[in-house]
Amino acid sequence: LTVVNIFGCSNSSSQTITVTPMVMYGPIIVSDDEICQGDVAILTAPLAVMYSWSNGATTQSISVTTTGTYSVTVTDSNACTKAIDAVDITVFPLPDATISGSHFICDGACITLNGSQYSGATYQRFNQNLVPGPGLVFPNLTICGTSPPDSVYFQITDMNGCVDISAPWKIDTASAPALMIMANDTLCEGTPNLLTVSPILPNVVYQWSTGAT
């Protein structure tokens, strides 16, 4: 730069400017952009000197457990910054594995337990030791016999690959109550006959063919 005043006097000055080329950074590396609730996605920024993530983190790698869009700005040794393209993370909720049905098998017969059902899911049964049984096409478990497992578990794997296993469902055996209908088996037409059950048992429900209880 040269400066000349009104008297014709001049002076010059110069300044050297150095332009540092921008480092070529790669993308954010993602361990998995779709995870299930309870899992963790690891996001790793390209190597730099400093990091500023959209969630406030300042480390090269961050652990993500919630759905969202994540970006990072990196700084090199010359204090030059670069915004790296953002990535989207999706967190799927877990299915809810539950069992309904009876806890008792009567006289070696069978019970059918119903598990919760999800579109596109697969199902698995486990015994009390969490040893898997055959895979299930439908969320129904039929258990028979006089020596059933102490309990069973029911597992769902949904269409997103997310897995949930139920609480243990206790199973026990039971016997049908012994009973006899007592009545006068010989009577005259028009004479009422009182039918009674013997023995009278506690904690049972009586259901006669007439609808009486």
Side-chain angles (χ1 to χ4, degrees), residues 116-200:
S116 44
Q117 185 169 4
Y118 286 78
S119 176
T122 58
Y123 309 98
Q124 181 71 57
R125 161 187 168 177
F126 293 84
N127 69 10
Q128 67 269 23
N129 298 316
L130 290 177
V131 176
L136 303 171
V137 177
F138 300 102
N140 308 113
L141 299 76
T142 299
I143 301 173
C144 303
T146 57
S147 299
D150 291 337
S151 58
V152 294
Y153 296 80
F154 173 68
Q155 177 180 283
I156 299 174
T157 303
D158 69 15
M159 65 174 61
N160 298 311
C162 298
V163 179
D164 189 40
I165 190 165
S166 70
W169 186 266
K170 298 291 291 181
I171 299 174
D172 205 347
T173 57
S175 297
L179 62 88
M180 179 181 296
I181 298 176
M182 308 293 292
N184 184 356
D185 57 3
T186 303
L187 72 162
C188 298
E189 183 179 355
T191 302
N193 196 359
L194 178 64
L195 307 183
T196 59
V197 174
S198 178
I200 301 299

Side-chain angles (χ1 to χ4, degrees), residues 25-29 43-48 50-51 53 59-62 72-74 84:
Y25 292 104
I28 297 171
I29 303 301
L43 280 57
T44 302
L47 185 62
M50 292 191 298
Y51 311 90
W53 289 90
T59 53
Q60 183 179 7
S61 295
I62 60 173
V72 64
T73 298
V74 297
I84 308 301

